[in-house]
Structures are given as C-alpha cells and as structure tokens.
C-alpha cells in the first residue's frame, strides 16, 4: 500500500484509473470501517482510503484534540484489506491556505437532527468531502449508513454539484449485542458499554410498534426518549423521519407506507452516540 500525503502525488499515482473506489475516514479504524473497504472493493478497483481528522467538523467544545489517532494500527489493517493507496494528508497538505470557501448544506437537511445539535458540523463535513473527492476523483465512494444524515447530505451535494462519483451506502456494522461500531465507543466505561446496546434496542422497539400499526409518531418518540432518560441517558432526539428527505412524515405519508427511518443521538456519561434504523 502506498501512503501518500501530497495532493499532487496522489493525482500522479491515480492518473488513468477508471474505477477508483474511495472510502474517506478519520482513522481509528474498526471492523465497521473495514467493512466499508470490502464493499468498496466489490464496486471498484483500486481501493483508496483516506485518513484525515477534519478540524472543520468539530465544534469548539468537541473532541478534536482527544480524537483517537492510531495511524500505525490503521495502516496495518488497511494493508490487510488490500487497499492500494492511503491518502493521509496533514492539515497543511489539505488546507495549504485557510479554507475560506465552504460548502453550506441547505438548512432543511443540514440544520435538523445532528445539524441542530452540532452547528457547523455538516458544513465541515461537506467541505472536506468535496475537497477529498476533488483530490481522489473516484468513480465510486462509500459512506456508512451509521451516519445516515451525512450520507444523505453527501449524496445530495454530489448530485447538485454534478460530481462524477457514485455514492454507495454501506450497512451499519454492529457488535453482537447490537451496538453500532463507532470510534467513540472506546470512550465508554465497562459499565456504559453494557448499557450502550439499549440505544439500538430502543430503535427496534419504535420500529416494531410502527410495524404493528402504532402510527402516533410523537407518542412513540416521546416514550423512547423517556425510556432512555429513565436508564440514565441524555437523549438529544429520537426522531421518525422520511428516508427520502429526513422530514417528519405527514399523516398521509404514514397511511401510504412512505419508507421511514428512526434516528437517535444520546449521551451516555460523557459519550455521545448516534444510531438509526430503517423501518
Ligand atoms: O464519517 C466520517 O468519518 C467523516 O465525517 C468523514 C466523511 C471522513 C469526513 O471527515
């Protein structure tokens, strides 16, 4: 595997490739990331991964400095997955001058859910993703459904900017007890780790009630938030939305069987976890 930090070198290395499949990451790789690499391999060749902890998407009180950086271990894992190029720019490589141009996602999709609780987050994400796509110029890019809203926003951005990359969605990789794998799980204490699968269980309870015909979504959301709170979580939201645009479903949508997704973000101790489930 070639490890490249400069944009020019990356372009030289990938020149002439017709089906590059790209997986952007912030490192601290776990099985979830590796499943994205494997999906990328099914859709393209060569597979290019990036590791870049993107300051732009962290709020002032978030964990940019303490975000886990495990470069040597990450390299070993990517080698084993047969990744061809690891693009690992420094901040200077990627932002040689202050990044004054930013992508501004529309508020109806970027200002809700995660966007409401993490102002500026999606501007940071889309700005770096646009830049990474411009560096790698992949024909295919893989994003996980674990970050459901991010996936939708990136998909819409690439469509509206006519970026010639196909966005492939990867299913969420879960531990046996249902907890979605995330770099932030490592912040959980042993006791919190035992409690953490409650988040996914709660999503399943909501989904099961809906499938059983309970269509009062506000009541379902309220009860789910209540259950989490009772168990010591601090939920930001449990929200049932339309998969198509992440807006709340109207009564007619529910009757017509509009595809839905239930999304949640909640803090357990000092660790904020997100998850979602398509209904
Ligand atoms: O999902 C992530 O790890 C990040 O948001 C991404 C897409 C690599 C952009 O920094």
């Amino acid at each position: 595997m070639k490890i490249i930090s400069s944009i020019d070198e990356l372009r030289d290395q990938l020149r002439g490739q017709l089906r590059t499949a790209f997986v952007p990451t912030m490192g601290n790789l776990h099985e979830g990331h590796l499943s994205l690499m494997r999906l990328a391999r099914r859709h393209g060749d060569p597979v290019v991964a990036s590791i870049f902890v993107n300051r732009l998407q962290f709020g002032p009180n978030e964990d940019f400095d303490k975000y886990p950086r495990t470069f040597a271990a990450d390299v070993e894992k990517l080698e084993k997955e047969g990744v061809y190029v690891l693009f690992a720019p420094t901040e200077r490589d990627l932002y040689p001058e202050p990044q004054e141009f930013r992508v501004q996602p529309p508020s109806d999709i970027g200002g809700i859910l995660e966007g409401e609780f993490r102002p500026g987050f999606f501007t940071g994400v889309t700005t770096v993703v646009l830049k990474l796509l411009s560096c790698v110029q992949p024909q295919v890019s893989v994003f996980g459904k674990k970050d459901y809203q991010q996936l939708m926003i990136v998909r819409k951005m690439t469509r509206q900017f006519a970026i010639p990359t196909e966005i492939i969605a990867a299913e969420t990789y879960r531990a046996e007890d249902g907890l979605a794998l995330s770099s932030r799980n490592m912040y959980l204490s042993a006791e919190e780790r035992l409690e953490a699968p409650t988040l996914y269980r709660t999503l399943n309870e909501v989904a099961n009630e809906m499938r059983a015909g309970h269509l009062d979504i506000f009541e379902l959301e309220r009860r789910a938030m209540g259950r989490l709170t009772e168990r010591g979580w601090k939920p930001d939201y449990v929200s049932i939305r339309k998969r198509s645009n992440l807006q709340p479903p109207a009564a007619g949508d529910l009757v017509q069987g509009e595809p839905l997704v239930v999304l949640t973000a909640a803090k357990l101790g000092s660790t904020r976890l997100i998850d979602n489930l398509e209904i």
Side-chain angles (χ1 to χ4, degrees):
M1 181 174 74
K2 301 206 162 46
I3 302 174
I4 296 178
S5 57
S6 118
I7 297 175
D8 287 342
E9 238 180 86
L10 178 75
R11 292 225 172 107
D12 284 346
Q13 187 66 43
L14 296 177
R15 185 158 297 120
Q17 295 289 357
L18 297 177
R19 192 83 188 149
T20 298
F22 176 47
V23 186
T25 82
M26 297 206 299
N28 190 230
L29 304 181
H30 48 65
E31 270 304 310
H33 293 109
L34 302 184
S35 72
L36 303 187
M37 306 298 157
R38 287 168 208 147
L39 185 61
R41 163 160 310 291
R42 290 192 3 228
H43 287 272
D45 185 28
V47 174
V48 176
S50 67
I51 294 181
F52 182 71
V53 185
N54 173 42
R55 190 186 291 274
L56 297 184
Q57 73 192 71
F58 287 78
N61 299 318
E62 293 184 348
D63 53 351
F64 175 76
D65 287 325
K66 84 172 195 350
Y67 196 84
R69 287 152 172 92
T70 51
F71 193 72
D74 292 347
V75 166
E76 225 174 274
K77 290 174 186 164
L78 293 175
E79 296 260 17
K80 282 202 188 117
E81 292 301 328
V83 168
Y84 175 62
V85 167
L86 168 59
F87 180 44
T90 62
E91 288 197 294
R92 264 199 139 175
D93 291 313
L94 204 62
Y95 303 128
E97 54 186 278
Q99 184 68 35
E100 291 155 345
F101 285 82
R102 305 277 172 110
V103 179
Q104 181 63 58
S107 59
D108 63 341
I109 189 170
I112 58 171
L113 303 167
E114 284 306 281
E116 181 185 338
F117 288 91
R118 303 181 69 189
F121 171 65
F122 287 119
T123 293
V125 169
T126 47
T127 301
V128 80
V129 168
L130 183 64
K131 190 143 192 181
L132 290 168
L133 292 176
S134 151
C135 296
V136 178
Q137 303 190 7
Q139 280 71 34
V140 177
S141 306
V142 178
F143 288 83
K145 282 192 188 177
K146 157 87 175 17
D147 297 293
Y148 204 86
Q149 194 176 0
Q150 167 175 286
L151 165 66
M152 294 222 30
I153 290 174
V154 166
R155 186 170 262 153
K156 192 163 186 180
M157 173 183 78
T158 54
R159 193 173 67 231
Q160 290 203 354
F161 282 123
I163 298 167
T165 194
E166 182 191 349
I167 304 294
I168 308 270
E171 292 303 325
T172 301
Y173 197 97
R174 298 184 181 279
E176 268 184 19
D177 58 10
L179 177 66
L181 294 203
S182 159
S183 299
R184 293 197 164 95
N185 292 353
M186 64 183 291
Y187 299 144
L188 298 169
S189 68
E191 201 184 323
E192 289 166 349
R193 177 61 189 81
L194 285 176
E195 171 59 21
T198 298
L199 199 60
Y200 185 51
R201 273 201 290 276
T202 303
L203 294 177
N204 273 290
E205 281 163 14
V206 172
N208 288 339
E209 293 211 52
M210 288 214 70
R211 288 181 195 123
H214 185 142
L215 296 183
D216 183 346
I217 61 169
F218 298 113
E219 173 62 11
L220 290 174
E221 292 170 356
R222 199 185 55 75
R223 284 209 324 241
M225 296 271 286
R227 274 197 300 270
L228 287 170
T229 308
E230 270 166 27
R231 295 181 66 96
W233 294 72
K234 289 198 185 72
D236 284 341
Y237 58 84
V238 176
S239 207
I240 298 163
R241 298 292 170 114
K242 294 196 276 189
R243 285 191 218 171
S244 58
N245 58 9
L246 294 187
Q247 296 304 307
D253 295 321
L254 296 175
V255 174
Q256 282 161 26
E258 170 85 26
L260 302 173
V261 56
V262 52
L263 305 106
T264 186
K267 255 187 161 180
L268 185 56
S270 55
T271 307
R272 188 171 180 278
L273 300 178
I274 63 170
D275 203 351
N276 65 78
L277 180 64
E278 291 179 333
I279 302 174

